[in-house]
Amino acid sequence: MSARFPMGHPYGWFHAAFSDELMPGDVVPKKYFGRDLVLFRTESGQARVLDAFCPHLGAHLGYGGTVEGDILACPFHSWRFDGEGVLVEVPYAKTQPDVLGRRCLKSWPVVETNRSIYVWYHPRNQQPAFDVTHMPELMEAGEEWTALITRQWTVHCHIQEAHENILDAAHFRYVHGVDPDLQADFTGHQSYISMAAKKPDGNGAATITEHNGPGQTWSRYTGFPEFIMLNPVTPIDDEIAEFHVGVAFKRVIADKMPQVIDMVLEKIWEQIDSDIPIFEHKIYRTSPLYCDGDGPIEPFRQWYAQFYAA
């Protein structure tokens, strides 16, 4: 928690990387939820996440660590760990330490689907309370849909602020130049938000945005061109978040009209860029002064509150 954002981190499945960012043998340092982590892919293709610091003398496994088969070797003394954080070998020791064969590093639950790698976070280390949602459109890349076109931002804000932005009907008019009709439904750990937005010239399109917990978020855009956007936000610490965006278009349009795709992408990046300065310089009001036309922000907050374990 922080003075600016008194909420802490919600629990759920969170985006750690897009699948094509992590090749077999890759080792990547990450920092999420205020924790130093190491993300790696085994030579057999499995994505794994462990706590980052070697229990031996504290080296960060993400900086210089190497993959050998399904094992991650520490860059300092080559202590070797499997994907469950179990110490499997100390190659130079004549007498193996007592912790050999035991879990010495926290292993984080990981699911890879939707061309994305998700990691489960819970502040009390409880096991996953719900599953990752699988999106059939993204399961078979290269056929009906294009590959994901991705971008990432590091933003000084809390992830709840970014999610509330989707429910903030009035800001769409003054920041993005559209006048939306918002409808929202919240059931269990999922939310369903529909938005029909019109520009001053009368043009517009319908958008369906869904949340599966606070960490897995996506939008489907109808009209022309049709596309799917993954837009998850992952907390780095109490006041900094990582915005991940991946956009896939219907291939029939992308192949025939690439210039249209370029224009749509430019508009998406522009809209995100226009929100970020506001996110970075605002505070979180626990009891805001709502008025008519603000949109269903308060029902969304009530739904979102269930993911704070405290």
Side-chain angles (χ1 to χ4, degrees):
M1 297 184 185
S2 70
R4 185 179 171 207
F5 302 116
M7 300 90 81
H9 301 309
Y11 68 80
W13 290 102
F14 291 89
H15 180 101
F18 291 107
S19 293
D20 61 5
E21 295 176 325
L22 192 73
M23 297 295 104
D26 283 353
V27 180
V28 181
K30 292 285 185 178
K31 186 168 185 178
Y32 293 134
F33 324 111
R35 300 280 293 272
D36 284 281
L37 309 174
V38 56
L39 168 66
F40 66 100
R41 192 183 292 282
T42 67
E43 291 182 359
S44 64
Q46 296 296 309
R48 302 289 192 180
V49 175
L50 300 175
D51 276 356
F53 297 113
C54 182
H56 177 215
L57 286 173
H60 195 302
L61 301 174
Y63 293 94
T66 56
V67 172
E68 302 173 8
D70 291 340
I71 302 304
L72 178 63
C74 176
F76 203 8
H77 302 94
S78 201
W79 283 41
R80 300 179 183 191
F81 305 88
D82 67 13
E84 299 301 318
V86 173
L87 177 66
V88 297
E89 184 184 9
V90 180
Y92 62 87
K94 295 179 180 180
T95 301
Q96 296 291 302
D98 292 340
V99 292
L100 187 72
R102 299 180 187 177
R103 179 176 289 183
C104 297
L105 293 170
K106 173 181 168 60
S107 174
W108 296 64
V110 171
V111 170
E112 186 165 7
T113 186
N114 308 329
R115 312 182 203 174
S116 302
I117 299 168
Y118 301 94
V119 61
W120 172 264
Y121 167 78
H122 194 289
R124 297 176 183 168
N125 293 320
Q126 295 181 9
Q127 291 302 301
F130 50 89
D131 295 328
V132 173
T133 296
H134 301 279
M135 302 178 64
E137 302 97 327
L138 299 182
M139 300 302 288
E140 298 181 5
E143 295 186 2
E144 187 176 356
W145 295 85
T146 68
L148 286 172
I149 302 164
T150 63
R151 277 194 64 180
Q152 178 180 302
W153 293 257
T154 299
V155 183
H156 288 257
C157 78
H158 191 278
I159 68 168
Q160 183 176 330
E161 294 272 55
H163 292 151
E164 285 186 10
N165 201 55
I166 301 171
L167 284 297
D168 186 343
H171 104 280
F172 281 101
R173 177 181 299 177
Y174 299 105
V175 179
H176 303 299
V178 296
D179 192 9
D181 177 18
L182 279 171
Q183 303 292 329
D185 179 71
F186 308 107
T187 304
H189 58 271
Q190 297 177 322
S191 77
Y192 183 91
I193 305 158
S194 64
M195 182 177 73
K198 288 186 177 181
K199 297 180 180 180
D201 61 8
N203 295 319
T207 307
I208 304 297
T209 298
E210 298 180 68
H211 294 82
N212 182 51
Q216 188 188 3
T217 314
W218 65 95
S219 299
R220 289 182 171 92
Y221 291 76
T222 63
F224 181 82
E226 185 177 353
F227 62 94
I228 299 169
M229 182 169 71
L230 304 181
N231 49 0
V233 184
T234 305
I236 294 175
D237 59 26
D238 289 338
E239 295 199 6
I240 304 175
E242 201 167 76
F243 288 30
H244 309 265
V245 175
V247 187
F249 293 87
K250 275 290 187 68
R251 182 165 294 281
V252 64
I253 300 299
D255 291 345
K256 292 181 178 179
M257 306 180 70
Q259 70 279 9
V260 172
I261 303 306
D262 291 341
M263 291 174 59
V264 171
L265 287 170
E266 183 178 351
K267 187 63 176 178
I268 292 172
W269 311 147
E270 176 186 304
Q271 290 181 348
I272 296 171
D273 286 337
S274 64
D275 279 324
I276 287 175
I278 299 173
F279 290 154
E280 292 203 312
H281 298 284
K282 72 185 298 297
I283 63 170
Y284 180 79
R285 291 288 192 190
T286 56
S287 300
L289 300 176
Y290 293 120
C291 66
D292 182 45
D294 281 333
I297 298 173
E298 189 58 34
F300 181 78
R301 286 189 173 191
Q302 294 172 13
W303 171 81
Y304 205 92
Q306 67 182 297
F307 302 107
Y308 292 110

